Amino acid sequence: MSFIDNWLRSDIKVINAYHVPYSADMVKLDAMESPFPLSDELTSQYLDYLADAQLNRYPSPNADELQQTLRELMDIPDEFGVLLGNGSDELIQLLALACDTGDTILSVAPSFVMYGMVAKFTRLNYQSVALTNDFEIDADAMQKAIQIHNPKLIFIAYPNNPTGNMFNRATIERIITSSKAMIVLDEAYYAYATDSFLTDIAKYPNLVLLRTVSKIGFAGLRLGLLIAAKDTVKQLDKLRLPYNINTLTQVSANFLLQEKGIINANASIILAQRQILFDALVKTKVLKVYPSQANFILFKAPNANILFGFLRDNGILIKNLSTTKQLTDCLRVTIGTLKQNQKFINIVKSFYNPTRRRK
Ligand SMILES: *Cc1c(COP(=O)(O)O)cnc(C)c1O
């Protein structure tokens, strides 16, 4: 037995590491990234701006300038506080670190896997309430779970990943008002959704919002934000590691996130492409396609595993969820460019209609 096998916490030893599949030279439609690179013109301006970064110094500790840039990009009212994270994943972890020994984190299933993973890393209890067949929150089961488990934190992704839908607003409001927990609404896909709880923060002291720039074109920056009442942010900030947002991210985001026009235009393209891809998937008649308020579409496919492999063999990587509970035979495709989406849909069509494949 090796040193680490003896040394490591047994509950960490048995888990599978977060799996990132090999994707070199593939059309990457698996991770909700934006398909749009920076323009050449913007890249050269950006590189000039970056040249002034002082890499011999520690970053700005509170990243005040970047906070202001994000407030303007996302229309965050001055009355709310903002806490920055190295991706919103880091903020999920920070919230777990704010809990006491023995506390419980509650969420729904299926949802974002990181909630359960972080609960495990931080030795907290984790409970999830199964969504209904149409991926809605089961309000009664949720109330029951809140009574039984008395959770300290409740994570709700809005819209939800991997299902793509937005839960009923009244159900969420009832959870917020009927629980003593901190309710964390994870709005990673806010740019593609028709609703947000941003302004509701003023109404509910126990409501906290998470957002990220990962799904709007900047996954490589690793930058997420927590938005909440100012006194909440002030206390949570004690758990943030000093200088958690590195200089290259701060300087890059300060420059690139000023481009609100480009960011919004790209989001509009994705919304239009989402509709086109949705219609095309429905038209195949063999797939069950779930409506989406995010930059991806979930669909149930006959022979899902084989279709997934067929797409991969043809150079397209999507996400295989077919072994996830309640998502049997389900696959998730991220919205790409017009060309990428066309290539994807053509391969799906040829899979189910092999006579066309031979022509
Ligand atoms: C992608 C995603 C995140 C992770 O965002 P990062 O800022 O890249 O860490 C958080 N929550 C949900 C629901 C997501 O889908």
Coordinates of all heavy atoms in Angstrom, one line a residue, residues 296-326:
F296 N -27.6 25.5 -23.1 CA -27.5 24.1 -23.4 C -28.9 23.5 -23.6 O -29.9 24.1 -23.1 CB -26.7 23.3 -22.4 CG -27.3 23.4 -21.0 CD1 -28.3 22.5 -20.6 CD2 -26.9 24.4 -20.1 CE1 -28.9 22.6 -19.3 CE2 -27.5 24.4 -18.8 CZ -28.4 23.5 -18.4
I297 N -29.0 22.3 -24.1 CA -30.3 21.6 -24.3 C -30.1 20.2 -23.8 O -29.2 19.5 -24.2 CB -30.8 21.7 -25.7 CG1 -31.2 23.1 -26.1 CG2 -32.0 20.8 -25.9 CD1 -31.6 23.3 -27.6
L298 N -31.0 19.8 -23.0 CA -31.0 18.4 -22.5 C -32.0 17.6 -23.4 O -33.1 18.1 -23.7 CB -31.5 18.3 -21.0 CG -31.6 16.9 -20.4 CD1 -30.2 16.5 -20.0 CD2 -32.5 16.9 -19.2
F299 N -31.7 16.4 -23.8 CA -32.6 15.6 -24.6 C -32.5 14.1 -24.2 O -31.4 13.7 -23.9 CB -32.5 15.9 -26.1 CG -31.1 15.6 -26.6 CD1 -30.9 14.4 -27.3 CD2 -30.1 16.5 -26.6 CE1 -29.6 14.1 -27.8 CE2 -28.9 16.3 -27.1 CZ -28.6 15.1 -27.7
K300 N -33.6 13.4 -24.3 CA -33.6 12.0 -24.1 C -33.6 11.3 -25.4 O -34.4 11.6 -26.3 CB -34.9 11.6 -23.3 CG -34.8 10.2 -22.7 CD -36.2 9.9 -22.1 CE -36.3 10.1 -20.6 NZ -35.6 9.2 -19.7
A301 N -32.6 10.4 -25.6 CA -32.4 9.8 -26.9 C -32.4 8.2 -26.9 O -31.8 7.7 -26.0 CB -31.1 10.2 -27.5
P302 N -33.1 7.6 -27.8 CA -33.0 6.1 -27.9 C -31.5 5.8 -28.1 O -30.9 6.4 -28.9 CB -33.8 5.7 -29.1 CG -34.7 6.9 -29.3 CD -34.0 8.1 -28.8
N303 N -31.0 4.8 -27.5 CA -29.6 4.4 -27.6 C -28.6 5.5 -27.3 O -27.7 5.8 -28.1 CB -29.3 3.8 -29.1 CG -30.2 2.7 -29.4 OD1 -30.3 1.7 -28.6 ND2 -30.8 2.7 -30.5
A304 N -28.9 6.2 -26.2 CA -28.1 7.4 -25.9 C -26.6 7.2 -25.9 O -25.8 8.0 -26.4 CB -28.6 8.0 -24.6
N305 N -26.2 6.1 -25.3 CA -24.8 5.8 -25.2 C -24.1 5.6 -26.5 O -23.0 6.1 -26.8 CB -24.5 4.5 -24.4 CG -24.5 4.8 -22.9 OD1 -24.0 5.8 -22.4 ND2 -25.2 3.9 -22.1
I306 N -24.8 5.0 -27.4 CA -24.3 4.7 -28.8 C -24.2 6.0 -29.5 O -23.3 6.3 -30.2 CB -25.1 3.6 -29.5 CG1 -25.1 2.4 -28.6 CG2 -24.4 3.3 -30.8 CD1 -26.1 1.3 -29.1
L307 N -25.3 6.8 -29.4 CA -25.3 8.1 -30.1 C -24.2 9.0 -29.6 O -23.5 9.6 -30.4 CB -26.7 8.9 -29.8 CG -26.7 10.3 -30.3 CD1 -26.5 10.4 -31.8 CD2 -28.1 10.9 -30.0
F308 N -23.9 9.0 -28.3 CA -22.8 9.8 -27.7 C -21.5 9.4 -28.3 O -20.7 10.2 -28.7 CB -22.8 9.6 -26.2 CG -21.7 10.2 -25.5 CD1 -21.6 11.6 -25.2 CD2 -20.5 9.5 -25.1 CE1 -20.6 12.2 -24.6 CE2 -19.4 10.1 -24.5 CZ -19.5 11.5 -24.3
G309 N -21.3 8.0 -28.4 CA -20.0 7.5 -29.0 C -19.9 7.9 -30.5 O -18.9 8.2 -31.0
F310 N -21.1 7.8 -31.2 CA -21.1 8.1 -32.6 C -20.7 9.6 -32.8 O -20.0 9.9 -33.7 CB -22.5 7.8 -33.1 CG -22.6 8.0 -34.6 CD1 -22.0 7.1 -35.5 CD2 -23.4 9.0 -35.2 CE1 -22.1 7.3 -36.9 CE2 -23.6 9.2 -36.5 CZ -22.9 8.3 -37.4
L311 N -21.3 10.5 -32.0 CA -20.9 11.9 -32.1 C -19.4 12.1 -31.8 O -18.7 12.8 -32.5 CB -21.7 12.7 -31.1 CG -23.2 13.0 -31.5 CD1 -24.1 13.3 -30.3 CD2 -23.3 14.1 -32.5
R312 N -18.9 11.4 -30.8 CA -17.5 11.5 -30.4 C -16.6 11.1 -31.6 O -15.6 11.7 -31.9 CB -17.2 10.7 -29.1 CG -15.9 11.1 -28.5 CD -15.7 10.1 -27.3 NE -16.0 8.8 -27.7 CZ -16.4 7.8 -26.9 NH1 -16.6 8.0 -25.6 NH2 -16.6 6.6 -27.4
D313 N -17.0 9.9 -32.2 CA -16.2 9.4 -33.3 C -16.2 10.3 -34.5 O -15.4 10.3 -35.3 CB -16.7 8.0 -33.7 CG -16.5 7.0 -32.6 OD1 -15.8 7.3 -31.7 OD2 -17.2 5.9 -32.7
N314 N -17.3 11.2 -34.5 CA -17.4 12.2 -35.6 C -16.9 13.5 -35.2 O -17.2 14.5 -35.8 CB -18.8 12.2 -36.1 CG -19.1 11.1 -37.1 OD1 -18.8 11.1 -38.2 ND2 -19.8 10.0 -36.5
G315 N -16.2 13.6 -34.1 CA -15.5 14.8 -33.7 C -16.3 15.8 -32.9 O -16.0 17.0 -32.7
I316 N -17.4 15.3 -32.3 CA -18.3 16.2 -31.5 C -18.4 15.7 -30.1 O -18.9 14.6 -29.9 CB -19.7 16.4 -32.1 CG1 -19.5 17.2 -33.4 CG2 -20.6 17.2 -31.2 CD1 -20.7 17.8 -34.0
L317 N -18.0 16.5 -29.1 CA -18.1 16.1 -27.7 C -19.2 16.8 -27.0 O -19.3 18.0 -27.0 CB -16.8 16.4 -27.0 CG -16.6 16.0 -25.5 CD1 -16.6 14.4 -25.5 CD2 -15.4 16.5 -24.9
I318 N -20.2 16.0 -26.5 CA -21.3 16.5 -25.7 C -21.2 15.8 -24.3 O -20.2 15.2 -24.0 CB -22.7 16.4 -26.4 CG1 -23.1 14.9 -26.5 CG2 -22.7 17.1 -27.7 CD1 -24.5 14.7 -26.9
K319 N -22.2 16.0 -23.5 CA -22.2 15.4 -22.2 C -23.1 14.3 -22.1 O -24.3 14.4 -22.4 CB -22.6 16.5 -21.1 CG -22.6 16.0 -19.7 CD -21.2 15.9 -19.1 CE -21.3 15.6 -17.6 NZ -20.0 15.4 -17.0
N320 N -22.6 13.1 -21.6 CA -23.4 11.9 -21.5 C -23.9 11.9 -20.0 O -23.2 11.7 -19.1 CB -22.6 10.7 -21.8 CG -23.4 9.4 -21.8 OD1 -24.6 9.5 -21.5 ND2 -22.8 8.4 -22.3
L321 N -25.2 12.0 -19.8 CA -25.8 12.0 -18.5 C -26.6 10.7 -18.3 O -27.4 10.6 -17.3 CB -26.7 13.2 -18.3 CG -26.0 14.5 -18.2 CD1 -26.9 15.7 -18.6 CD2 -25.3 14.8 -16.9
S322 N -26.5 9.7 -19.2 CA -27.4 8.6 -19.2 C -27.3 7.7 -18.0 O -28.3 6.9 -17.7 CB -27.2 7.8 -20.5 OG -25.9 7.3 -20.5
T323 N -26.3 7.8 -17.2 CA -26.2 7.0 -16.0 C -26.6 7.8 -14.7 O -26.7 7.3 -13.6 CB -24.8 6.5 -15.7 OG1 -23.9 7.6 -15.6 CG2 -24.3 5.6 -16.9
T324 N -27.0 9.1 -14.9 CA -27.5 9.9 -13.8 C -28.9 9.5 -13.4 O -29.7 9.3 -14.3 CB -27.4 11.4 -14.2 OG1 -26.1 11.7 -14.6 CG2 -27.8 12.3 -13.0
K325 N -29.2 9.4 -12.2 CA -30.5 9.0 -11.7 C -31.5 10.1 -12.2 O -31.2 11.3 -12.2 CB -30.5 9.1 -10.2 CG -31.4 8.0 -9.6 CD -31.2 8.0 -8.0 CE -32.5 7.4 -7.4 NZ -32.5 7.7 -6.0
Q326 N -32.7 9.6 -12.7 CA -33.7 10.4 -13.3 C -33.4 10.9 -14.7 O -34.2 11.7 -15.3 CB -34.1 11.6 -12.4 CG -34.9 11.2 -11.2 CD -35.2 12.4 -10.3 OE1 -34.5 12.7 -9.3 NE2 -36.3 13.1 -10.6

